[in-house]
Amino acid sequence: MIARVALELIGVERHYSQGDSALKILTGADFSLHGGETVALVAPSGTGKSTLLHIAGLLERPDGGDVKVNGVSCADLSDDRRTAIRRSEIGFVYQFHHLLPEFSALENVMMPQLIAGLGKAEARERAAALLDYMRIAHRADHRPSELSGGEQQRVAIARAVANAPLALLADEPTGNLDPDTAGYVFEALKALVRQSGLAALIATHNLHLANLMDRRVTIEDGKVVEL
Ligand code: ADP
């Protein structure tokens, strides 16, 4: 069976103006991300990884081209519509966890579900299941400051997928962790992807982790190319 395309970049252009000249970051970038796959985005700093993730996640609009989420073309949609699609279909994980310090791990994972209108009991149940999946259930009642870096990132991943998005976009999610911890966090993420049919695009400098993913892509001359 061919997995559906969760996210598609079509001829994406992104330029920044730099004085009189334009800094061309993406120049007709094409890319497809399928359900159930993990793809590593490996490229040197400054080549446009974060830019690509922001555009793919509808946080930024491209200067040209289109992004399709679950087959829906987003280029001409209003900001409100794009925000609605982003909230329901995309999960983000960053290098630093950005968990809310006043709340427990469990509450942090419940939060996006409550905002999306789910009842408390249901949100709690799903949050507990996700923490269990990320092998962090035993720390559910702890606040982020009481968790290790690897534990915090596992909670951040659980939170990112709390509303069952189609795609998870991660910018150096293990960049701040030691290699063993990074491996452990990645294994938990990969198991989640496999089990849920989620699609994951993960920017990383860690070549060992990149090699454990289904595919590797880079950015060359403003285009996405397979490695
Ligand atoms: P990466 O994530 O691969 O390190 P980025 O996507 O953050 O790369 O940035 C790509 C390039 O675009 C860099 O040279 C960066 O300085 C530049 N850039 C990023 N955002 C802006 C902006 N808002 N204005 C001008 N230049 C930017």
Side-chain angles (χ1 to χ4, degrees), residues 9 20 27-28 31 47 49 136 161 206 223:
L9 269 61
D20 290 343
T27 57
F31 174 68
T47 44
K49 297 185 297 298
I136 185 83
V161 300
N206 185 326
K223 297 186 171 57

Side-chain angles (χ1 to χ4, degrees), residues 191-213:
L192 182 74
V193 168
R194 228 179 278 124
Q195 182 261 356
S196 63
L198 182 73
L201 177 61
I202 304 169
T204 182
H205 283 298
N206 185 326
L207 293 181
H208 173 68
L209 292 189
N211 282 328
L212 297 175
M213 299 194 208

Side-chain angles (χ1 to χ4, degrees), residues 109-127 162-164:
V109 183
M110 288 173 66
M111 201 70 71
Q113 302 177 73
L114 297 176
I115 292 169
L118 221 68
K120 225 171 175 175
E122 217 176 328
R124 184 182 299 278
E125 195 176 322
R126 178 162 167 83
N163 285 331

Side-chain angles (χ1 to χ4, degrees), residues 29-206:
D30 297 314
F31 174 68
S32 297
L33 184 66
H34 298 82
E37 72 171 349
T38 50
V39 179
L41 175 58
V42 187
S45 278
T47 44
K49 297 185 297 298
S50 300
T51 301
L52 188 139
L53 289 172
H54 288 163
I55 289 173
L58 309 182
L59 284 169
E60 254 182 66
R61 282 182 189 267
D63 296 310
D66 198 1
V67 176
K68 283 189 178 174
V69 180
N70 203 17
V72 175
S73 164
C74 296
D76 298 326
L77 296 182
S78 66
D79 287 345
D80 282 354
R81 193 70 201 106
R82 286 166 59 90
T83 300
I85 292 176
R86 183 172 66 245
R87 287 208 181 122
S88 65
E89 307 294 13
I90 315 273
F92 287 96
V93 182
Y94 299 94
Q95 182 168 357
F96 299 99
H97 58 75
H98 301 302
L99 295 170
L100 297 170
E102 304 301 318
F103 295 92
S104 71
L106 187 81
E107 289 164 340
N108 265 281
V109 183
M110 288 173 66
M111 201 70 71
Q113 302 177 73
L114 297 176
I115 292 169
L118 221 68
K120 225 171 175 175
E122 217 176 328
R124 184 182 299 278
E125 195 176 322
R126 178 162 167 83
L130 283 169
L131 290 176
D132 193 32
Y133 220 86
M134 293 305 290
R135 304 179 207 150
I136 185 83
H138 56 295
R139 308 290 276 159
D141 295 330
H142 290 260
R143 291 185 179 188
S145 61
E146 297 163 343
L147 303 175
S148 71
E151 290 172 339
Q152 290 167 347
Q153 277 309 61
R154 280 184 278 153
V155 177
I157 292 168
R159 180 186 54 177
V161 300
N163 285 331
L166 270 182
L168 181 73
L169 303 175
D171 202 348
E172 293 283 350
T174 60
N176 204 25
L177 306 175
D178 66 74
D180 283 352
T181 308
Y184 192 70
V185 170
F186 177 69
E187 280 308 321
L189 170 59
K190 201 163 172 192
L192 182 74
V193 168
R194 228 179 278 124
Q195 182 261 356
S196 63
L198 182 73
L201 177 61
I202 304 169
T204 182
H205 283 298
N206 185 326

